[in-house]
Amino acid sequence: MLHDQLKDATADQHARLDALPFFQALQAGTLPAPAIVTLLRGLAIVHAVLERAVTQSADARLAAVASATSPKLPLIVADLERLDVAQTPSITPAIHAALDCGAAILRRAENPLSLLGTLYVLEGSQRGGDVLRKAYAQCLAVPADQLSYWGCYRQDTQARWAQFTLSLNALTCDEGDVAAVTDAAVRAFEWFTRICSALYPYTEQQLKQHVTAVNFEAGDHAMPQAPGEMELALRAGRDAWDRNPYLEMRFGDRGRRFTSSDSCWLVTLIHLPETQGVRSLEWLRSVLASRGISTVILGIYLQCILRLWMDEGFGATASGPGLARFLADREAERASLGYAVPVVERYERRLARCSGLTVPSAATLIASAWVDERAGIVGALSSTLDWFTDQNRFTPEWTDIVHKLLAELDTLTGAVC
Amino acid sequence: MLRWCGYCQTFLGEAPPFDKLVITHGVCETCAELALDFTPQNIEHAHTLQDILAELSLAGSRADMQAAKAAIRTATAAHMQPVDMLLGLVAPLLFEIGEEWRKGRITVATEHRFTEFFEQVFALLEPRALALVGTPSGATGQPDALVMNAWGNRHTLAARVLSLWLGARGLRTQLLEPPPPPEEVAAIIIRLQPRMVFVSVALSEHIESVRALADMVSSIPESHRPRFVVGGSAVKMGLVPDTPGLELVPDIHDLNLEAAV
């Protein structure tokens, strides 16, 4: 039976993991909070990759087993929010190990059965979670019922595990399949051993703000480390988000998380010399514009950041020459392309009067995507337009006005040229 | 653009724009000394290389190792050296994959699968490259050069390809993978006194740690202090500011290696 084979194949790694100082400190009630918070962040990285890969897979056997589980990522996100630990630094080697683990899962996802091995290890970890939840809560000095990830099935834990193992054993597997599943499970234990070894003991130098604390899908990029800068970045991100309802409408919670992480990265650019700051922003511009986030939104981010930066008195340390220059360049670019604000505003009013769903600043966003495309970002316009002309979302009147706006912009360019 | 010698099929390096994988031909110094002229065969060879590049790219997108092996056979028949295939075909394709992600054309998952595929291609070519070099890089004696990733850069393939390429140019290299803590690397540098230290950076922020390392070994007398050569995609894209004590090199072929040998 597959379950027995998995149990035998992973017994040694399981024992090695359980014997780590991390778990000894946890049981003794002495595990420091950053180790637990970082573990949750690492688990968010791994679960995000795994759950997305499982959902995207068309493999019937994987789907059959996965249906016996429930997604854990929302629980981890909720726990982190309840613990209110956004400013708590991460133990970076453990985060790097979690990112490597996520990358390894992705690389092996070509064979869906490898996902099954990882799923087995993570699902199995819920069994001890009920006991561990109390220990984690004690270390964090919070009531145990505030933690929802560990032991998430509560009184149904044993029944859910029985159902899961039953679905595993019901699979038809040849020798190669079994090898793929067990190999992935052994590797998953090895990854978690690496992560937990890095979590405890740790050194003060390893404690840093890492981007995955604000967005578990952001990978690994620069974060502001100076006191107050990260908080400023998050506030600026929230301001920019509130000023662009389109982001919420189109990208939802995932977009909100990327707004936070992007905002943090943008703040780090303030310290760069002008040329490198501008090049970095041009790079991000092309990344965003290709995904339906036209440059006018990036401009709003930068304005929010610069305003807060100056208001909060950070201006003495750096002035963000790259950010200011980038904004000035965009203004010049719009002028050179014949971008006419009155025209865009006229269409803004027309779109606002449409029946059905409307999006604030839609004409500005579309016109900005049009500028991006003209500036050489291939696909910028279509990635915005596809959404704004989706007939399942908007009325024919709306899409008709959008097309007229584009036609008029094209005419204006012709006049400039 | 990727420049290859039209006569001996040696990879000559890259030329701006770095994000355009178009094969162009030049003449390496050795062939130039022979005063050879371009022939129609050189033009045809450029097309062959472009085809191999396209075949490898397609093989990567389909994770098709058999197709990759066929492309390598074609390249071998065209007298290309394994290390040149790695630096002149595989490395640019990896850069191109990053660009495809930037443009929103592929997902992170696809990017990772490409990388995994090219790891296998590397594994295929590495023994052949080493066989031609004679002894494995850094296997004997004091290394001329240390090669490492900047801390935080977890894309290891570029550093491994570079190590092979330096070995093919007569340098004894030692690859530090994964990079030990900065204090340990500083101790290695002081102990082994390599002439050059090559560091690969993928993101502009990685430069901070390299600068810190260079500071650590600044007490070594100048005559024995290694050159710190910094390359990688962040340098290629101009995202790394000029930094005293560090040589930023977008294309390794532009570097004078004679002093290190």
Side-chain angles (χ1 to χ4, degrees):
Chain A
M1 299 298 252
L2 183 55
H3 174 217
D4 290 335
Q5 285 165 307
L6 277 164
K7 211 163 130 184
D8 291 346
T10 59
D12 289 349
Q13 280 77 13
H14 198 158
R16 212 167 293 149
L17 176 66
D18 283 348
L20 288 177
F22 175 93
F23 290 102
Q24 289 167 12
L26 174 65
Q27 299 289 7
T30 56
L31 190 64
I36 302 171
V37 171
T38 307
L39 175 61
L40 278 172
R41 288 172 180 158
L43 285 165
I45 294 167
V46 176
H47 273 287
V49 173
L50 178 68
E51 288 172 15
R52 185 178 264 257
V54 167
T55 308
Q56 288 175 345
S57 171
D59 188 89
R61 289 182 294 180
L62 176 63
V65 178
S67 67
T69 70
S70 61
K72 308 295 183 297
L73 186 59
L75 305 177
I76 299 171
V77 171
D79 285 354
L80 286 167
E81 278 176 10
R82 262 194 300 271
L83 290 169
D84 192 20
V85 287
Q87 307 285 333
T88 303
S90 301
I91 301 164
T92 44
I95 293 294
H96 291 154
L99 288 168
D100 288 344
C101 173
I105 292 171
L106 275 181
R107 283 201 297 267
R108 297 165 68 90
E110 289 266 297
N111 181 352
L113 291 179
S114 76
L115 300 173
L116 215 48
T118 315
L119 197 61
Y120 162 78
V121 175
L122 283 167
E123 200 62 15
S125 74
Q126 289 295 333
R127 294 173 72 203
D130 219 27
V131 178
L132 292 180
R133 183 175 66 247
K134 289 174 187 132
Y136 283 119
Q138 191 192 341
C139 292
L140 290 166
V142 297
D145 59 8
Q146 262 197 30
L147 300 174
S148 60
Y149 172 72
W150 287 292
C152 68
Y153 299 123
R154 299 294 198 261
Q155 70 275 14
D156 294 335
T157 300
Q158 289 312 320
R160 293 295 293 259
W161 179 246
Q163 193 188 343
F164 179 79
T165 53
L166 205 64
S167 63
L168 271 179
N169 289 336
L171 295 180
T172 310
C173 293
D174 61 23
E175 259 181 46
D177 295 336
V178 172
V181 182
T182 51
D183 183 50
V186 169
R187 282 170 186 266
F189 267 112
E190 287 170 356
W191 280 114
F192 289 117
T193 303
R194 257 188 71 187
I195 293 169
C196 290
S197 302
L199 282 171
Y200 186 81
Y202 62 87
T203 66
E204 285 298 308
Q205 290 76 23
Q206 291 172 333
L207 281 175
K208 286 188 179 149
Q209 298 295 352
H210 194 277
V211 67
T212 48
V214 292
N215 179 6
F216 48 81
E217 289 181 290
D220 191 13
H221 65 62
M223 277 290 280
Q225 299 293 335
E229 286 191 13
M230 180 178 153
E231 194 196 341
L232 180 145
L234 294 176
R235 276 169 58 202
R238 274 196 298 272
D239 288 354
W241 177 265
D242 291 342
R243 286 174 58 183
N244 290 287
Y246 160 71
L247 294 174
E248 172 97 60
M249 295 168 92
R250 180 164 179 179
F251 300 104
D253 278 347
R254 191 161 188 256
R256 190 191 295 272
R257 288 196 297 273
F258 273 98
T259 292
S260 298
S261 53
D262 285 355
S263 190
C264 287
W265 186 68
L266 289 171
V267 165
T268 67
L269 302 185
I270 289 181
H271 299 284
L272 286 182
E274 183 179 285
T275 309
Q276 279 69 36
V278 169
R279 282 185 186 156
S280 299
L281 286 167
E282 283 169 349
W283 177 84
L284 183 63
R285 176 195 187 186
S286 67
V287 171
L288 295 178
S290 306
R291 289 159 174 78
I293 302 166
S294 53
T295 301
V296 68
I297 296 176
L298 177 57
I300 292 170
Y301 275 73
L302 297 178
Q303 286 158 359
C304 290
I305 287 169
L306 284 173
R307 182 175 49 75
L308 274 178
W309 186 262
M310 294 305 167
D311 288 353
E312 304 284 320
F314 285 93
T317 56
S319 62
L323 278 66
R325 161 85 185 281
F326 178 82
L327 287 170
D329 287 351
R330 299 291 70 75
E331 217 165 285
E333 181 179 74
R334 280 194 295 272
S336 73
L337 288 168
Y339 181 100
V341 175
V343 172
V344 177
E345 285 177 347
R346 175 156 47 84
Y347 277 93
E348 212 71 88
R349 289 191 292 274
R350 288 181 67 181
L351 287 169
R353 286 196 298 270
C354 282
S355 57
L357 178 68
T358 60
V359 181
S361 306
T364 307
L365 295 167
I366 294 162
S368 176
W370 175 87
V371 170
D372 289 335
E373 186 81 26
R374 295 276 161 157
I377 304 175
V378 178
L381 185 56
S382 62
S383 63
T384 294
L385 211 56
D386 287 352
W387 193 84
F388 276 112
T389 56
D390 182 346
Q391 295 189 352
N392 295 320
R393 190 174 290 118
F394 298 103
T395 61
E397 180 197 11
W398 169 281
T399 51
D400 184 49
I401 296 172
V402 168
H403 287 303
K404 282 181 176 152
L405 164 64
L406 288 172
E408 193 159 342
L409 288 169
D410 286 341
T411 312
L412 288 171
T413 310
V416 168
C417 295
Chain B
M1 298 176 84
L2 309 172
R3 292 184 297 124
W4 288 76
C5 176
Y7 300 103
C8 66
Q9 323 314 339
T10 301
F11 180 54
L12 297 179
E14 297 181 58
F18 291 113
D19 58 347
K20 295 274 183 288
L21 296 194
V22 177
I23 303 284
T24 182
H25 273 72
V27 184
C28 73
E29 280 181 23
T30 314
C31 293
E33 279 174 17
L34 297 171
L36 296 168
D37 290 326
F38 269 111
T39 64
Q41 282 82 1
N42 301 139
I43 309 294
E44 195 184 318
H45 188 259
H47 291 147
T48 306
L49 283 178
Q50 200 73 58
D51 290 345
I52 295 169
L53 197 64
E55 280 172 36
L56 267 180
S57 178
L58 191 64
S61 68
R62 294 173 178 168
D64 184 348
M65 261 324 272
Q66 291 310 315
K69 284 177 184 172
I72 289 168
R73 276 196 297 274
T74 311
T76 307
H79 305 296
M80 293 166 64
Q81 299 297 312
V83 74
D84 286 328
M85 291 182 213
L86 286 168
L87 204 67
L89 297 173
V90 172
L93 280 173
L94 284 170
F95 181 74
E96 171 84 347
I97 291 158
E99 286 295 287
E100 289 292 294
W101 173 83
R102 177 174 70 86
K103 292 168 185 167
R105 291 177 189 156
I106 60 168
T107 63
V108 172
T110 308
E111 192 187 7
H112 276 84
R113 281 198 288 275
F114 259 108
T115 308
E116 174 77 358
F117 176 77
F118 284 116
E119 287 274 357
Q120 291 173 38
V121 173
F122 177 86
L124 199 67
L125 288 171
E126 186 188 27
R128 301 183 196 186
L130 286 173
L132 289 171
V133 171
T135 53
S137 302
T140 54
Q142 204 174 351
D144 301 307
L146 296 181
V147 180
M148 59 182 279
N149 263 348
W151 293 274
N153 178 9
R154 295 200 304 281
H155 296 90
T156 60
L157 204 50
R160 283 184 280 156
V161 171
L162 174 63
S163 186
L164 278 179
W165 185 82
L166 291 169
R169 266 143 194 82
L171 267 72
R172 291 186 304 271
T173 62
Q174 185 169 328
L175 180 66
L176 303 178
E177 174 50 40
E183 302 75 20
E184 212 173 298
V185 177
I188 292 171
I189 291 171
I190 290 167
R191 192 175 71 246
L192 298 179
Q193 296 192 359
R195 306 296 295 162
M196 303 179 98
V197 176
F198 291 86
V199 190
S200 173
V201 298
L203 300 170
S204 56
E205 60 258 32
H206 294 155
I207 203 69
E208 287 303 320
S209 55
V210 185
R211 191 174 9 216
L213 174 64
D215 285 347
M216 275 186 213
V217 295
S218 59
S219 59
I220 300 176
E222 203 173 335
S223 56
H224 289 80
R225 201 180 305 153
R227 287 164 68 186
F228 270 87
V229 179
V230 180
S233 53
V235 176
K236 216 181 275 294
M237 292 165 73
L239 298 177
V240 178
D242 281 334
T243 308
L246 304 181
E247 291 179 56
L248 303 182
V249 181
D251 181 359
I252 193 69
H253 292 81
D254 295 337
L255 197 69
N256 176 12
L257 293 173
E258 283 172 15
V261 182

